[in-house]
């Protein structure tokens, strides 16, 4: 479990539903019309992004957390991955500090298309 200057990340629960972010929903938010993107091929799993996030809303999780997904392709992707990268969009402020910290340019700040 990653540590920050505030201590260890909180325990994760598994009684949640993983969903893709709906662009329409994002458009209706007060937050900037931005999102954090990941290019998985560039990620070296250093977890620096997780540590630097001021809101502790990045989680690098075991692929085992993906269970009973509606999409077979998502299940296949999880089974072939080393980690699942999750950002809690309710907490993320799009400050892009994680983007600046990423040593391999795997993270990027994107604009939500209209
Ligand atoms: S943009 Fe800021 S708040 Fe959002 S995940 Fe990155 S560091 Fe955390
Ligand atoms: S900082 Fe970049 S390379 Fe390191 S775990 Fe995060 S996304 Fe991957």
């Amino acid at each position: 479990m990653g540590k920050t200057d505030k201590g260890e990340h909180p325990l994760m629960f598994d009684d949640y539903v993983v969903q893709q972010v709906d662009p329409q929903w994002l458009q209706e938010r007060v937050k900037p019309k931005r999102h954090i993107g990941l290019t998985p091929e560039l990620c070296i799993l250093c977890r620096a992004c997780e540590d630097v996030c001021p809101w502790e809303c990045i989680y690098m999780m075991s692929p085992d957390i993906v269970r009973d997904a509606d999409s077979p392709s998502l299940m296949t992707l999880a089974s072939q991955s080393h980690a699942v990268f999750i950002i809690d969009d309710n907490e993320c402020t799009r400050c892009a500090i994680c983007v600046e910290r990423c040593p391999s340019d795997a993270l990027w700040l994107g604009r939500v298309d209209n």
Side-chain angles (χ1 to χ4, degrees), residues 6-70:
K6 295 179 187 172
E8 291 191 347
H9 287 306
L11 289 175
M12 296 296 292
F13 298 93
D14 62 4
D15 56 345
Y16 54 83
V17 177
V18 177
Q19 296 178 312
Q20 290 189 339
V21 174
D22 176 3
Q24 185 63 38
W25 175 77
L26 265 182
Q27 287 287 349
E28 294 165 0
R29 305 293 300 276
V30 176
K31 290 182 178 183
K33 308 299 188 243
R34 299 274 186 166
H35 65 90
I36 302 298
L38 170 74
T39 305
E41 296 80 11
L42 297 178
C43 178
I44 57 173
L45 302 174
C46 68
R47 306 185 78 167
C49 51
E50 199 182 30
D51 271 349
V52 80
C53 175
W55 300 104
E56 299 187 15
C57 61
I58 297 181
Y59 302 96
M60 302 285 289
M61 307 293 293
S62 164
D64 293 341
I65 67 163
V66 179
R67 296 185 220 118
D68 305 324
D70 289 340

Side-chain angles (χ1 to χ4, degrees), residues 36 53-55 57-58 87 92-98:
I36 302 298
C53 175
W55 300 104
C57 61
I58 297 181
I87 292 180
C92 174
T93 60
R94 323 286 197 267
C95 66
I97 291 175
C98 55

